[in-house]
PDB file of all heavy atoms in Angstrom:
ATOM      1  N   TYR A  88       8.566  16.470  -3.329  1.00 97.00           N
ATOM      2  CA  TYR A  88       9.322  17.605  -3.227  1.00 97.00           C
ATOM      3  C   TYR A  88       8.526  18.689  -2.470  1.00 97.00           C
ATOM      4  O   TYR A  88       9.097  19.554  -1.783  1.00 97.00           O
ATOM      5  CB  TYR A  88       9.635  18.201  -4.584  1.00 97.00           C
ATOM      6  CG  TYR A  88      11.005  17.786  -5.157  1.00 97.00           C
ATOM      7  CD1 TYR A  88      11.499  16.573  -5.009  1.00 97.00           C
ATOM      8  CD2 TYR A  88      11.845  18.777  -5.718  1.00 97.00           C
ATOM      9  CE1 TYR A  88      12.803  16.200  -5.493  1.00 97.00           C
ATOM     10  CE2 TYR A  88      13.069  18.468  -6.247  1.00 97.00           C
ATOM     11  CZ  TYR A  88      13.545  17.169  -6.186  1.00 97.00           C
ATOM     12  OH  TYR A  88      14.803  16.838  -6.638  1.00 97.00           O
ATOM     13  N   TRP A  89       7.250  18.586  -2.531  1.00 97.00           N
ATOM     14  CA  TRP A  89       6.389  19.586  -1.764  1.00 97.00           C
ATOM     15  C   TRP A  89       6.414  19.264  -0.230  1.00 97.00           C
ATOM     16  O   TRP A  89       6.669  20.133   0.582  1.00 97.00           O
ATOM     17  CB  TRP A  89       5.000  19.676  -2.321  1.00 97.00           C
ATOM     18  CG  TRP A  89       4.185  20.671  -1.550  1.00 97.00           C
ATOM     19  CD1 TRP A  89       3.201  20.430  -0.661  1.00 97.00           C
ATOM     20  CD2 TRP A  89       4.286  22.021  -1.650  1.00 97.00           C
ATOM     21  NE1 TRP A  89       2.600  21.554  -0.177  1.00 97.00           N
ATOM     22  CE2 TRP A  89       3.262  22.629  -0.838  1.00 97.00           C
ATOM     23  CE3 TRP A  89       5.079  22.915  -2.390  1.00 97.00           C
ATOM     24  CZ2 TRP A  89       3.134  24.013  -0.648  1.00 97.00           C
ATOM     25  CZ3 TRP A  89       4.878  24.313  -2.248  1.00 97.00           C
ATOM     26  CH2 TRP A  89       3.916  24.816  -1.349  1.00 97.00           C
ATOM     27  N   THR A  90       6.089  18.030   0.105  1.00 98.00           N
ATOM     28  CA  THR A  90       6.088  17.636   1.506  1.00 98.00           C
ATOM     29  C   THR A  90       7.439  17.663   2.198  1.00 98.00           C
ATOM     30  O   THR A  90       7.417  17.929   3.359  1.00 98.00           O
ATOM     31  CB  THR A  90       5.323  16.254   1.706  1.00 98.00           C
ATOM     32  OG1 THR A  90       6.139  15.283   1.115  1.00 98.00           O
ATOM     33  CG2 THR A  90       3.944  16.292   1.061  1.00 98.00           C
ATOM     34  N   GLN A  91       8.386  17.256   1.468  1.00 98.00           N
ATOM     35  CA  GLN A  91       9.761  17.162   2.046  1.00 98.00           C
ATOM     36  C   GLN A  91       9.815  16.244   3.279  1.00 98.00           C
ATOM     37  O   GLN A  91      10.572  16.466   4.132  1.00 98.00           O
ATOM     38  CB  GLN A  91      10.403  18.543   2.213  1.00 98.00           C
ATOM     39  CG  GLN A  91      10.420  19.240   0.868  1.00 98.00           C
ATOM     40  CD  GLN A  91      11.220  20.427   0.836  1.00 98.00           C
ATOM     41  OE1 GLN A  91      11.786  20.970   1.809  1.00 98.00           O
ATOM     42  NE2 GLN A  91      11.379  21.131  -0.243  1.00 98.00           N
ATOM     43  N   SER A  92       8.954  15.239   3.335  1.00 97.00           N
ATOM     44  CA  SER A  92       8.988  14.296   4.377  1.00 97.00           C
ATOM     45  C   SER A  92      10.066  13.299   4.314  1.00 97.00           C
ATOM     46  O   SER A  92      10.545  12.739   5.247  1.00 97.00           O
ATOM     47  CB  SER A  92       7.683  13.552   4.489  1.00 97.00           C
ATOM     48  OG  SER A  92       6.531  14.402   4.717  1.00 97.00           O
ATOM     49  N   CYS A  93      10.567  13.045   3.038  1.00 98.00           N
ATOM     50  CA  CYS A  93      11.723  12.299   2.714  1.00 98.00           C
ATOM     51  C   CYS A  93      12.899  13.245   2.471  1.00 98.00           C
ATOM     52  O   CYS A  93      12.563  14.442   2.125  1.00 98.00           O
ATOM     53  CB  CYS A  93      11.449  11.395   1.519  1.00 98.00           C
ATOM     54  SG  CYS A  93      10.081  10.259   1.640  1.00 98.00           S
ATOM     55  N   SER A  94      14.017  12.735   2.385  1.00 97.00           N
ATOM     56  CA  SER A  94      15.164  13.529   1.959  1.00 97.00           C
ATOM     57  C   SER A  94      15.115  13.748   0.430  1.00 97.00           C
ATOM     58  O   SER A  94      14.309  13.041  -0.218  1.00 97.00           O
ATOM     59  CB  SER A  94      16.508  12.952   2.234  1.00 97.00           C
ATOM     60  OG  SER A  94      16.753  11.686   1.459  1.00 97.00           O
ATOM     61  N   LYS A  95      15.782  14.744  -0.099  1.00 97.00           N
ATOM     62  CA  LYS A  95      15.677  14.997  -1.531  1.00 97.00           C
ATOM     63  C   LYS A  95      16.280  13.732  -2.342  1.00 97.00           C
ATOM     64  O   LYS A  95      15.738  13.268  -3.260  1.00 97.00           O
ATOM     65  CB  LYS A  95      16.577  16.189  -1.940  1.00 97.00           C
ATOM     66  CG  LYS A  95      16.547  16.543  -3.405  1.00 97.00           C
ATOM     67  CD  LYS A  95      17.406  17.767  -3.746  1.00 97.00           C
ATOM     68  CE  LYS A  95      17.374  18.060  -5.203  1.00 97.00           C
ATOM     69  NZ  LYS A  95      17.718  16.964  -6.128  1.00 97.00           N
ATOM     70  N   GLN A  96      17.418  13.228  -1.783  1.00 97.00           N
ATOM     71  CA  GLN A  96      17.928  11.989  -2.461  1.00 97.00           C
ATOM     72  C   GLN A  96      16.888  10.755  -2.449  1.00 97.00           C
ATOM     73  O   GLN A  96      16.769  10.113  -3.420  1.00 97.00           O
ATOM     74  CB  GLN A  96      19.147  11.516  -1.670  1.00 97.00           C
ATOM     75  CG  GLN A  96      19.764  10.159  -2.217  1.00 97.00           C
ATOM     76  CD  GLN A  96      20.446  10.334  -3.566  1.00 97.00           C
ATOM     77  OE1 GLN A  96      21.313  11.170  -3.706  1.00 97.00           O
ATOM     78  NE2 GLN A  96      20.115   9.487  -4.552  1.00 97.00           N
ATOM     79  N   GLN A  97      16.211  10.608  -1.338  1.00 98.00           N
ATOM     80  CA  GLN A  97      15.136   9.534  -1.297  1.00 98.00           C
ATOM     81  C   GLN A  97      13.968   9.822  -2.274  1.00 98.00           C
ATOM     82  O   GLN A  97      13.590   8.937  -2.993  1.00 98.00           O
ATOM     83  CB  GLN A  97      14.569   9.466   0.164  1.00 98.00           C
ATOM     84  CG  GLN A  97      15.519   8.818   1.111  1.00 98.00           C
ATOM     85  CD  GLN A  97      15.002   8.978   2.510  1.00 98.00           C
ATOM     86  OE1 GLN A  97      14.317   9.836   2.961  1.00 98.00           O
ATOM     87  NE2 GLN A  97      15.368   7.981   3.395  1.00 98.00           N
TER      88      GLN A  97
END
Side-chain angles (χ1 to χ4, degrees):
Y88 264 45
W89 181 253
T90 64
Q91 299 190 359
S92 298
C93 302
S94 71
K95 182 180 181 305
Q96 177 72 54
Q97 289 170 326

